[in-house]
Structures are given as structure tokens and as C-alpha cells.
Amino acid sequence: MAKLGKIIDMGEKLCYCNSLDEKMQKLKRKLEDLSSREADINKELEYAESLYLKKRRQQVENWLTNVERINRQVHSLEQTLEERRLLGRVQLWKRVEELTGEVTQLVDQGRFPGGLTFEAHETKGDALLTTKLVGQTFQTNMDKIWTCLMQDEVLIIGIYGMGGVGKTTLVTHIHNKLIENPNTFDHVFWITVSQDFSIHKLQNNIAKILHLDLSNVDDEKKRAAKLAQALMRRQQSVLILDDVWNHFVLEKVGIPVRVNGCKLILTTRSLDVCRRMGCQVKIKVEPLSKEEAWSLFLEKVGNEISLSPEVKDIARSVAKECAGLPLAITVLAGSMRGVDDICEWRNALEILKESKLGQDDMETEVFQVLRFSYWSLNDSKVQHCFLYCSLYPEDCKIKREELIERFIDEGFIDRMKSRQVEFDRGHTILNKLENSCLLEGIIDDFPNEKKCVKMHDLVRDMALQIVIVSPRFMVEAGVGLEDIPDEEKWTKDLEKVSLMHNKISEIPSSLSPRCPKLSTLMLQHNSLRRIPDSFFVHMHGLEVLDLSYNGIEYLPNSLSHLENLTSLLLRECDKIEHVPSLAKLSALRRLDLWHTGISEVPNGMEMLVNLRYLDLYAPNLEMLPVGTFTKLCHLQYLVVYRSSETLKVNGEEVAHLKRLETFSGQFSELQNFNAYVKSLKVGGPSNYLLQMGLDDPDVTPIESDTFDKRVILKRCILSTSRGGGEDSLLLPEDIEFLYIQECNDVRSLCGISSLKNANNLKACVIKKCNRVEHVLSHYSSPSSILTLQSLESLRLAFLQNLSDFIRCDRALSQSPPSGTLACLKEFRIYNCPNIKKLFMPRLLMCLQNLEEIHVEDCRQIEEIVAAESDENEVEENKDKGLGTTIITLPKLRCLQLWDLPQLKIVCNDNAVLVCDSLQEIIVRYCRELKRIPLSLPLLDGQPSPHPSLQIIKAFPEQWWESLEWDHPNAKNLLQPFCQFTRYV
């Protein structure tokens, strides 16, 4: 019977087991349904979020998290079933039932009837800078355009008028009014089209402001479809196209004008363009009336001086010559600003009257008015500088430094005692042209906010009219040329030719222009592969030749016979491996071989005795023959950088170049590096970049180009002898920027003995130096003291063994020496995995100029400001009732703490940070952080945060609620300044 009972019991268990397996199979089928829904939802989210208009709902994010959790739990249950077999089946049965219910519930929840996403609100944009509207005519046009925009049936508005009449100014005011009125349109977009229009370029410009990536889409129709979809999703939008020269089909671009969708405003000089673009409303911008013109003229002349009644009468006549065109009035009035001599005013009026070509030719009148400003420059070289700018493409932003280099090449700036003086003269010329309203000063924000100038379209047109006659230019820059102009266009009287920024790929072997007067030829930024030998044969007067940014493989031998050449620019011609002999080019003053493919110095370079500028930034350059620079005694600018490992720069040879003002050199041998550094003690370049070590550092010129005197140390020995002897690396005493990477022979900066004399060091970066244990170490030996009093920026990155910021000798003092890092403004530390405590209170007391603290990805850091390690002093303070240390950082503006998983407190329990200037606190991924003891400034006895304070946290609300602050009411006061980002 007992045996029979066991058999029955075993049978029941087997039946139970089979039933459990059936339940498990049902759970898996349900889970497959859930996984399919999860995959569909992820695909929908990926598409919606790629449009930059949609954000996933929080309930969707929570659902995805729960699906991931349930998957893990089911997988764990499967493993348990396999391991436990028949044991504990009752508990497993219940667990399967629970999970099946949860999966079923998630499947039902995954329908999301309210949708997966919500609209992500975009800002309308920023108001554009403009001048104020003058006159009733402008206000009338403004009101008319605004009224049309508010009418549903009006979709396209065309604004036309002659150049300089104020079309762009008018539409800019419309743009700004739309920005300022939140209840009108949701989106306002501005595109400047210009004369070099193409469908592809316009599509790219629109895609850019829509944050739409079309880089992988070549087909014009597909690009248009994507643009149309993106614009249609942005309902209630206005697209402004400024300066349209030719009509085009909107559908080809992808502009879907429609009711409750996208409206279009365009400006053009042609009524025909408005008609062919289908503008329902066409508004002509007329010149100002006489009184309106006079009012604008007086405003632009300024009130620095008071004009006599006699002068005012003449000035009114001068203003009349501007024919009511705001641009002409602005330019002419600017040229007469500050003039009170009646003779000058009479002379101006006479010149304007004599040059008038006819009342019916308004465009020509404007050019004559603009020409007067050109003639009023009263300096032929400044006039040449102005005309030179017309060689660049329309709407081109021209860097000031580049232009000044060109002016020097052309001889517009006289040779002076130094390049700095010449550049000062160049900036003075550009300022004069800007002040005369002949150039516009702008800032190019990429890559590093470079100052640029730009010619207004009308001003450029005027300049091009001048150079049709004398001096004689041929300018076809940036117009999409694929073939070089035919030989008949290369006339004998040509002086300058600009074909830059085109698509010219070859020059016919039959082309041999006879241009004996040609002095400047600009072919940069084309697709040239080779130049026939015949091309330069009859260009004996050529002085400036720019072939930069081309794919040229071979240079013709005829280049070697251009004996009047003063400037040869081959920048970024990386396929050129050989340059013909330069022996006959003794007049050459500038030779730019930056990023060419040459492996050896051009033959005959030692004959270039007049050379002032030499750039040998050539990665494949293998050697410099001994004496390369010996005869080049006039060099002011020299770059020998990023060359091959076999190249050796002779430090003593470079040191003999006494006129050198800018030098960038990469040394492979310590002896040559030190030899050059020693020469700097008796004077040297005002701008240098010296690198010891041949490997490329992880640093770009942009990171350090705010400094004039820079040193980069990469994989080299910093201290080969203890006493700073002959074999020790030397640093220039006037160094401003120091970058150290992968130098593994010192434990701190104190190991670099020559740093003690670097009294002007402003910035220091230490990266991937694995033996560095601390930045500074202060011991009883005076020779080890290093305070870096002048340092303003310190960056530490990827220092695997860094354990302390500063290490002091206990027997000496826990306090850093007086003046330590006294000028430090910026401190950044990244990816230093072993440091646990960053600052000691006594060090922070030295950092009274500190403005920014950035700490990121330091996995072991626990405290930003640690407690004093001297326990006796801590106890003594407690006995005196001084248990809390007040640390004041009066200039601290920014505190950023990123990805610090072990960080528990910003400041220890016995200290409080007082930061009255704090404007930004960013805390991300610091899950253990419990206390931020920041003392806020008081106003009427209550904490008063800085009005610009911004707090950003990547944590849920619960984390914020658990934080402790110095003042009991601080949390409530700071809440309005907080921005929460999604928890990760």
C-alpha cells in the first residue's frame, strides 16, 4: 500500500507539473504579444522623435520600463523552473499566475489611446538686429504686410523694390513683430537666398533651421518631400526668403504654402519674380520722400557737431542726391559725419552733381552716391583694399586677418618694422571702410567667434562696376562655374582675376592667356586636378597666385619662371607631393604649404632671401636639410609643425631668425627644444607654439589660440635630472599656456623645475599622465615650492593615479604657501578614478578668484570639500565653539557635478560654502548626494538667491526633497530656479 501511495503521489505531481508547463507556455505566448507591441512602439517613437517635434509621454516611458522589468522576471522564472524541477512547484504555480496577469495588463495598457507622444514646443527664434523705420511710407507698408499676414486667403506676399531701398529692413521689422507677438504664428523662419541660388542650397538652408538632416538624401524630389512634411507639421508658420533674384517652383524646394500651415514672404528687386512666384499680394517699397530722406540723413550724420544754416542748406541738397534710398543716405551721411567745413560740403555736392547720369536711372544714381563714399576715402591704397573685397563671392564672410594678409601680399600696406604694425594698419583700414558704411562688420561664430567683414550686395555691385573699367578685374567668384572662362575673356588689360569658390575641375591644355598686366590670380576652392604648363607662360607679371583647397596632383614647370611672384599659396593641396624649383622666385615673400603632401622641401628654397612668411605644416615632410633657414633671415612667420617622425628641427638654426614674430615648431629631440627655449631669454617671437614630442596631442589650436605663447608636451621626459641640469626640459619663462599629455615621469608639476620661473602662465592642461598623484606638492625643501600664482585655468583629465589636489608636508604646515593658485578662475577635472576628496578648506581659502568648478566622471570622489585632516585642530576648534568653518568663494558663478556615483556631500558637516555670485548649479547622475551646504546671500534676514541662478538636476523630485541645505527655508526659495531633466 505504501508503495502504491507513493506511485499515486508521484502521478499527481506529474499532472501538476504538466499543468504548470501549460501555464508557462501560455505566459510565453502572452509575452510574445507584449514584445511585439514593444517593438512597434519603439519604431514609432524613433520616427516621431527624429522629426524634433515630438516627445514621448511619461506614461509611455514608464510602460517601456515595466516591459523591460517583466521580461527579466519571466527569464528568471524560466531558469528557476529548469533548476528546481519538481521542488517548490506550488510557489512557482502562483508566480506564473501573477506574471501572466501582469503581462496581460501591460498588453492592454500598451494601446495608448491618447497617443505615444506630445508636441515639443519650439521657440520662435530671436529678434534680428535692425535700424528703426523712418517715414510714413515704411509704416504704411508695415501695416499692409501685417494685415495681409492675418488674412487666411493670403499665403504668399512679395515685397519688391530697387537695391538699397529698405526691403530687408522692412521685413526684419515684420520678423521681429511676429517674434514679439505670441498669439500670431507659432514659428518664424528667416532665410537669405542671394544671387548664387540653387534648389539644393535653399533646401539645405531650410533644413538647417528645421533641424532636419538631409545629408544622406541626394534626390531633389525626396529632399523636397521631407522638407514639406517637416514644414506641414509646424502649423501656423511664416517663412521669410530675403533677396530672391530668380523665380523657382516652391514644390521643387519643398515649401508647402497652405491655409493654417506655412505662409511665405519674399523680398526681391524684380516685380517679375513676384509675379512668377505666385505672390497674391505684391508690395513695392518706394524711396523716401524728401522730408523723410532729410530726417534720416540728419540722424545718420549725427549730432557731434552743429551745422550752420549755410551748411544745412548744402547738406539738404546733398541728401537730395541720394534719391530717397536709405542705403545711399546712410552711406553718404556716414562719410560726412563730423564735417562742418562748408568747403567740403560744397565739394561733395559738386562731385555728386557732376557724376549724375540721369534721373530715370535710379540704380545708376545709387552707384554714383556710393562711389562718392569710395572717392571720399582720399587714400588710393584704402580704395584698392575696398575694391579687393569685391573679388570674394556675394554675401561672403571674410575674416579680417585673412584680408589683412592679402593686403600685405598686394602691397596695399607698406612694409613696416613688424607684422604686428602691419596688421594694426590693416585693422585701421578695415575700420575706416566699416565706418564709411562700405563694409559691414560681423562675427562668425564658428569655429571661435572670428571677426569678419562683408560687403552689402549693392556696395559690391558698385565696386564691380568700378573694376569693369580701371583697375580691370574679372570676377566670377562663387557662381557655380564648371569651366574656366574662354580665352577671349582673358584680355590684355586684366589686373586681377577671381574664380574662387567654383567647380572648375580642369584647365584646357590649349589655354594660354596673354595677360601681361595680370598681378593676382585667385583659383582657390575649386576642383582642379592639374594645370597645363602653357597656362602660366604669358603671365610674367603675376605676383599673387592662390591655388589653395584644390585636388591638384602636379604643378606645371612654368611655375618656376614666374619671377615676379611674391605670394604662392598652396594651402590644403594635400595631393601635391612635389613643388617645382623655386630658385628663380627670389621676389617671393609668402609661401604657404600648409597641409600639402610634400615629403621634401622644395628645391631652391634657400634662394628665397626675401621670404617673410613660410608655412611648412606638412604631415609627410621627412627632413629639413642643414642650413634650410640660414639664408631666410627676413622670416617673420614660420610654421614647421605636424611633420613626420624623421624630421628634425634645428633649434639653434631657428634661434638665429631674429625677425621671427610667429613660430610654431614641433621638436623631436630635447636638445633642439632646449636650445630654442634658451634663445627666448634674450628675445624672440611674440607668438609661439612649441611642441616637444612628435605624436599629435588631443588638443586643437582652437582650445589654446586665445594665448600667444604656448607649449605642448606629449610623451616626453619632463625631468631627467633632479637638479634641473643640462638634460632637464626647459620651459620659456613667458609661457602662457601649457599642455601636458602622456608624460609619465613626474608625480606632480613640482617635478618640472623650470615651471618655477613661469610667472605668466595662464592656463594648464594635464591629461593621461599616469604617474601624476597630485598637482602640487609642498614640502619643507624651498626648491619644491610651486604656487602658480598667475594661473587662471586648470584642467585635469584621465589621471589614473591622482589622489590629491595638493599634498603638503605635515611637519611644515597643512596650509598651502601664500599665493598658491591665487588667480585661478576655472577648475575642471574629468575621469580621474582614484581621487576621493577634492579640496581642503585651507586651499579654497586661497581661491578667492575662482569662478567655475566642473567635476565629471570621477568614480570614487566622495567629497568636493573635505574635512581638515588635522584632528587636533578640529577638536581645538570645537572647544572654542568654532565647529563650523565658513568658506567664502565670492566670485563662484558655476558649480557642475556630473556622473559622480560616490559623491555624498559637497561640503563636510563642519563647513559651509558662501557663494554670493552663484548663477548656475548643474547636478547630474550623483545618486548618493545628500547635502549641498551652500549659504545664500541674505536680504532682510532671508536667503536671497542670485537673480540669474539656474539649477539643473537629472533626478526625480524625491531626490530634491531629500537634500539638506544650510537654511531651513532655502529649498522653497530655490524651487523656482530649478529645471528637472528626465531621470536616467
Side-chain angles (χ1 to χ4, degrees):
M1 288 294 293
K3 186 174 182 180
L4 179 61
K6 287 182 180 180
I7 293 173
I8 293 172
D9 185 51
M10 180 64 71
E12 290 176 351
K13 288 183 177 180
L14 288 173
C15 291
Y16 188 82
C17 178
N18 292 334
S19 178
L20 180 59
D21 289 340
E22 291 174 2
K23 291 281 186 182
M24 194 64 196
Q25 291 301 318
K26 180 182 178 181
L27 173 58
K28 287 182 178 180
R29 289 193 296 272
K30 291 274 188 183
L31 191 63
E32 287 177 3
D33 294 339
L34 181 62
S35 298
S36 298
R37 181 57 182 150
E38 178 191 23
D40 291 342
I41 285 175
N42 278 325
K43 286 182 180 179
E44 290 182 45
L45 288 173
E46 181 181 358
Y47 172 73
E49 291 176 339
S50 71
L51 299 176
Y52 298 93
L53 288 170
K54 302 286 187 179
K55 295 285 186 182
R56 63 180 67 185
R57 296 182 183 277
Q58 187 59 50
Q59 64 181 132
V60 175
E61 184 68 23
N62 294 339
W63 184 85
L64 290 170
T65 301
N66 288 330
V67 170
E68 185 179 353
R69 172 184 56 79
I70 209 75
N71 268 300
R72 290 197 303 268
Q73 291 179 350
V74 172
H75 180 70
S76 175
L77 181 62
E78 286 184 279
Q79 289 183 326
T80 303
L81 280 172
E82 292 176 0
E83 293 169 359
R84 300 187 64 178
R85 298 295 177 184
L86 296 177
L87 301 177
R89 307 295 283 192
V90 175
Q91 293 85 352
L92 293 176
W93 176 289
K94 291 180 180 179
R95 184 60 179 147
V96 171
E97 288 283 352
E98 291 173 0
L99 289 177
T100 302
E102 287 189 48
V103 171
T104 303
Q105 185 178 10
L106 284 172
V107 171
D108 292 338
Q109 291 174 350
R111 294 187 175 90
F112 296 111
L116 302 177
T117 61
F118 62 89
E119 293 290 335
H121 296 292
E122 294 180 315
T123 61
K124 283 189 179 183
D126 298 321
L128 302 175
L129 294 176
T130 188
T131 56
K132 73 175 184 178
L133 293 177
V134 176
Q136 184 58 43
T137 303
F138 270 108
Q139 190 58 54
T140 300
N141 286 334
M142 179 96 172
D143 294 340
K144 187 174 181 180
I145 296 169
W146 190 259
T147 300
C148 292
L149 279 174
M150 299 302 115
Q151 296 172 354
D152 289 341
E153 63 273 17
V154 179
L155 301 177
I156 308 177
I157 302 171
I159 299 167
Y160 70 99
M162 63 175 301
V165 79
K167 302 181 296 294
T168 299
T169 300
L170 177 62
V171 178
T172 302
H173 280 274
I174 291 291
H175 173 277
N176 292 348
K177 188 173 181 180
L178 288 168
I179 295 291
E180 294 163 4
N181 285 267
N183 299 322
T184 53
F185 291 83
D186 296 330
H187 309 281
V188 186
F189 307 116
W190 180 289
I191 299 289
T192 300
V193 181
S194 297
Q195 203 168 5
D196 61 337
F197 162 83
S198 70
I199 296 290
H200 193 274
K201 181 179 178 181
L202 183 55
Q203 287 176 331
N204 282 342
N205 289 339
I206 297 174
K208 184 177 180 181
I209 61 174
L210 296 177
H211 307 292
L212 184 66
D213 185 9
L214 295 180
S215 59
N216 295 322
V217 185
D218 294 325
D219 184 77
E220 185 178 286
K221 291 184 178 180
K222 291 181 179 179
R223 289 163 62 89
K226 285 183 174 291
L227 278 177
Q229 290 174 7
L231 281 169
M232 284 189 290
R233 288 187 176 89
R234 292 164 170 84
Q235 296 183 1
Q236 294 293 324
S237 61
V238 176
L239 175 62
I240 299 172
L241 299 181
D242 185 43
D243 200 16
V244 178
W245 283 72
N246 301 294
H247 71 278
F248 58 91
V249 179
L250 295 174
E251 289 74 13
K252 281 190 174 183
V253 176
I255 301 174
V257 291
R258 53 188 287 181
V259 177
N260 294 324
C262 179
K263 290 197 174 191
L264 176 64
I265 301 175
L266 62 89
T267 72
T268 177
R269 297 185 186 185
S270 169
L271 174 60
D272 184 62
V273 169
C274 291
R275 288 171 175 163
R276 300 183 75 168
M277 292 287 292
C279 296
Q280 294 147 302
V281 176
K282 295 171 279 291
I283 299 173
K284 183 177 182 180
V285 181
E286 299 283 1
L288 299 174
S289 68
K290 291 180 181 179
E291 288 305 315
E292 290 170 344
W294 174 238
S295 176
L296 178 61
F297 188 87
L298 285 177
E299 178 185 333
K300 297 301 180 182
V301 166
N303 54 8
E304 292 91 348
I305 59 173
S306 178
L307 299 179
S308 67
E310 295 82 2
V311 170
K312 274 193 176 182
D313 288 340
I314 299 172
R316 186 181 285 272
S317 298
V318 169
K320 185 180 177 181
E321 298 299 321
C322 295
L325 293 178
L327 175 62
I329 293 169
T330 301
V331 172
L332 182 57
S335 68
M336 299 302 293
R337 184 179 291 124
V339 177
D340 60 353
D341 189 335
I342 192 170
C343 296
E344 287 193 47
W345 281 98
R346 280 201 300 257
N347 180 61
L349 180 59
E350 189 63 26
I351 292 175
L352 287 169
K353 285 183 175 180
E354 287 178 358
S355 63
K356 185 178 290 187
L357 298 181
Q359 292 291 341
D360 59 341
D361 195 346
M362 192 72 74
E363 196 85 1
T364 304
E365 284 189 27
V366 175
F367 289 157
Q368 295 307 315
V369 169
L370 294 174
R371 278 198 190 101
F372 173 74
S373 294
Y374 164 72
W375 291 323
S376 297
L377 293 171
N378 292 323
D379 186 324
S380 62
K381 290 189 175 179
V382 177
Q383 290 174 334
H384 283 302
C385 290
F386 165 71
L387 295 177
Y388 189 90
C389 296
S390 68
L391 293 169
Y392 286 82
E394 181 186 8
D395 291 327
C396 181
K397 296 177 181 178
I398 318 170
K399 292 183 175 62
R400 288 176 70 106
E401 284 75 16
E402 176 186 336
L403 260 184
I404 294 171
E405 289 281 13
R406 304 280 184 171
F407 294 166
I408 295 172
D409 291 344
E410 296 286 347
F412 301 154
I413 296 176
D414 294 328
R415 295 293 170 183
M416 299 179 180
K417 62 179 182 180
S418 68
R419 275 174 58 84
Q420 183 60 58
V421 176
E422 291 169 358
F423 265 74
D424 290 343
R425 172 62 178 156
H427 284 295
T428 301
I429 290 173
L430 292 177
N431 290 341
K432 185 172 183 177
L433 293 173
E434 283 188 36
N435 294 338
S436 299
C437 301
L438 290 171
L439 290 180
E440 302 174 31
I442 55 176
I443 299 293
D444 187 3
D445 55 6
F446 182 85
N448 198 27
E449 293 192 340
K450 294 291 186 182
K451 289 185 177 181
C452 301
V453 294
K454 174 185 171 185
M455 293 189 94
H456 187 280
D457 293 356
L458 193 56
V459 174
R460 182 173 181 269
D461 290 344
M462 177 271 292
L464 291 176
Q465 278 205 353
I466 293 175
V467 300
I468 287 175
V469 182
S470 178
R472 185 85 164 83
F473 292 4
M474 178 167 67
V475 182
E476 295 192 45
V479 294
L481 285 184
E482 295 183 1
D483 299 312
I484 201 161
D486 294 334
E487 190 155 356
E488 58 264 23
K489 291 187 178 181
W490 296 79
T491 57
K492 291 183 178 182
D493 57 349
L494 275 179
E495 296 181 33
K496 299 187 189 302
V497 171
S498 175
L499 302 174
M500 68 169 81
H501 290 276
N502 281 302
K503 302 174 183 178
I504 301 170
S505 59
E506 62 178 318
I507 298 175
S509 57
S510 60
L511 184 63
S512 183
R514 294 181 178 273
C515 302
K517 293 184 178 181
L518 188 64
S519 64
T520 300
L521 177 57
M522 306 174 81
L523 284 165
Q524 66 265 35
H525 291 282
N526 272 285
S527 305
L528 284 172
R529 294 189 297 273
R530 62 181 64 232
I531 299 173
D533 202 56
S534 61
F535 187 64
F536 295 125
V537 169
H538 302 296
M539 297 183 183
H540 303 300
L542 196 61
E543 296 177 2
V544 177
L545 175 61
D546 193 344
L547 300 172
S548 302
Y549 301 97
N550 275 290
I552 299 172
E553 298 175 2
Y554 303 103
L555 290 170
N557 290 327
S558 57
L559 182 71
S560 300
H561 302 289
L562 299 176
E563 297 183 13
N564 289 308
L565 205 62
T566 60
S567 179
L568 176 59
L569 311 178
L570 301 172
R571 199 170 182 82
E572 193 65 50
C573 294
D574 55 359
K575 294 184 179 180
I576 291 180
E577 297 180 359
H578 173 74
V579 175
S581 174
L582 304 178
K584 294 183 179 180
L585 308 187
S586 59
L588 203 63
R589 293 172 177 267
R590 185 180 179 200
L591 177 60
D592 194 338
L593 299 172
W594 187 87
H595 225 284
T596 55
I598 61 170
S599 57
E600 59 183 13
V601 172
N603 184 39
M605 199 171 77
E606 70 279 1
M607 304 301 292
L608 307 181
V609 294
N610 289 303
L611 204 61
R612 262 75 171 170
Y613 181 112
L614 175 60
D615 195 323
L616 287 174
Y617 190 100
N620 300 327
L621 188 61
E622 295 177 355
M623 65 172 294
L624 288 173
V626 176
T628 297
F629 304 123
T630 304
K631 294 184 179 180
L632 308 182
C633 57
H634 293 291
L635 272 178
Q636 297 172 315
Y637 182 103
L638 174 62
V639 173
V640 189
Y641 200 77
R642 201 187 171 194
S643 305
S644 67
E645 294 184 4
T646 60
L647 185 138
K648 297 180 180 179
V649 178
N650 188 309
E652 293 184 355
E653 193 174 317
V654 177
H656 282 92
L657 300 174
K658 300 302 182 183
R659 299 188 183 184
L660 211 55
E661 297 176 45
T662 298
F663 173 57
S664 294
Q666 195 166 0
F667 296 87
S668 60
E669 296 179 343
L670 182 62
Q671 179 183 357
N672 280 313
F673 181 90
N674 283 349
Y676 184 71
V677 171
K678 287 178 182 178
S679 74
L680 296 178
K681 293 183 178 181
V682 293
S686 56
N687 186 304
Y688 60 70
L689 171 59
L690 311 178
Q691 178 172 330
M692 181 59 216
L694 288 177
D695 292 315
D696 289 338
D698 299 339
V699 61
T700 63
I702 296 173
E703 184 174 345
S704 62
D705 66 359
T706 55
F707 301 96
D708 292 328
K709 300 176 180 181
R710 299 163 287 168
V711 173
I712 295 174
L713 307 175
K714 174 74 183 290
R715 292 184 183 173
C716 61
I717 304 300
L718 302 181
S719 178
T720 57
S721 63
R722 293 181 177 274
E726 290 295 322
D727 295 329
S728 295
L729 179 134
L730 299 179
L731 291 176
E733 294 182 359
D734 59 352
I735 180 178
E736 296 174 354
F737 176 87
L738 176 61
Y739 183 96
I740 307 174
Q741 181 180 327
E742 297 176 68
C743 299
N744 297 319
D745 66 316
V746 294
R747 295 184 177 182
S748 77
L749 290 179
C750 297
I752 308 174
S753 57
S754 57
L755 257 183
K756 288 190 297 181
N757 300 319
N759 297 321
N760 201 37
L761 185 64
K762 295 288 190 280
C764 180
V765 179
I766 310 174
K767 188 173 185 178
K768 297 181 181 179
C769 298
N770 290 335
R771 286 202 63 191
V772 169
E773 298 176 357
H774 34 274
V775 180
L776 299 175
S777 52
H778 296 140
Y779 296 100
S780 54
S781 171
S783 62
S784 70
I785 301 299
L786 183 63
T787 60
L788 300 178
Q789 281 187 313
S790 61
L791 196 68
E792 296 178 357
S793 173
L794 177 61
R795 300 188 182 190
L796 312 174
F798 300 95
L799 304 178
Q800 298 299 311
N801 290 306
L802 184 73
S803 59
D804 297 291
F805 188 179
I806 294 183
R807 183 170 294 178
C808 295
D809 189 344
R810 281 180 169 273
L812 182 64
S813 171
Q814 284 293 320
S815 298
S818 175
T820 298
L821 300 171
C823 293
L824 193 67
K825 295 179 180 180
E826 177 195 58
F827 175 76
R828 296 173 182 261
I829 180 170
Y830 310 102
N831 298 87
C832 296
N834 281 323
I835 190 165
K836 294 185 177 181
K837 298 178 181 181
L838 193 54
F839 300 114
M840 300 301 289
R842 293 194 180 188
L843 173 60
L844 280 182
M845 291 175 184
C846 297
L847 307 182
Q848 294 301 290
N849 287 299
L850 194 61
E851 297 177 3
E852 296 181 40
I853 299 175
H854 299 256
V855 187
E856 180 177 347
D857 200 21
C858 297
R859 314 299 291 180
Q860 297 299 320
I861 201 162
E862 299 173 356
E863 300 177 40
I864 302 301
V865 182
E868 294 285 2
S869 58
D870 191 333
E871 297 179 2
N872 294 329
E873 183 169 349
V874 172
E875 291 300 323
E876 184 179 340
N877 284 340
K878 287 183 178 180
D879 294 340
K880 294 178 180 179
L882 302 175
T884 300
T885 303
I886 305 298
I887 303 171
T888 302
L889 294 176
K891 297 183 180 180
L892 188 68
R893 294 183 294 102
C894 176
L895 175 63
Q896 291 196 18
L897 307 173
W898 287 22
D899 202 8
L900 309 173
Q902 300 301 319
L903 180 66
K904 296 180 175 61
I905 56 175
V906 172
C907 196
N908 70 82
D909 294 338
N910 297 317
V912 171
L913 285 175
V914 179
C915 308
D916 292 352
S917 301
L918 196 62
Q919 297 179 31
E920 185 177 59
I921 304 174
I922 298 180
V923 182
R924 293 178 176 172
Y925 317 124
C926 302
R927 295 172 175 79
E928 297 299 317
L929 182 61
K930 303 300 182 186
R931 183 169 183 254
I932 302 182
L934 298 175
S935 179
L936 301 172
L938 297 178
L939 181 65
D940 297 330
Q942 292 294 322
S944 176
H946 192 284
S948 301
L949 179 64
Q950 183 181 27
I951 303 176
I952 300 176
K953 309 171 295 299
F955 283 91
E957 294 276 358
Q958 296 87 329
W959 172 81
W960 170 255
E961 294 298 330
S962 67
L963 275 178
E964 298 176 8
W965 291 82
D966 180 58
H967 191 281
N969 197 35
K971 190 178 301 181
N972 294 331
L973 289 165
L974 292 172
Q975 188 69 38
F977 298 93
C978 294
Q979 298 177 18
F980 286 91
T981 59
R982 188 170 65 85
Y983 176 64
V984 178

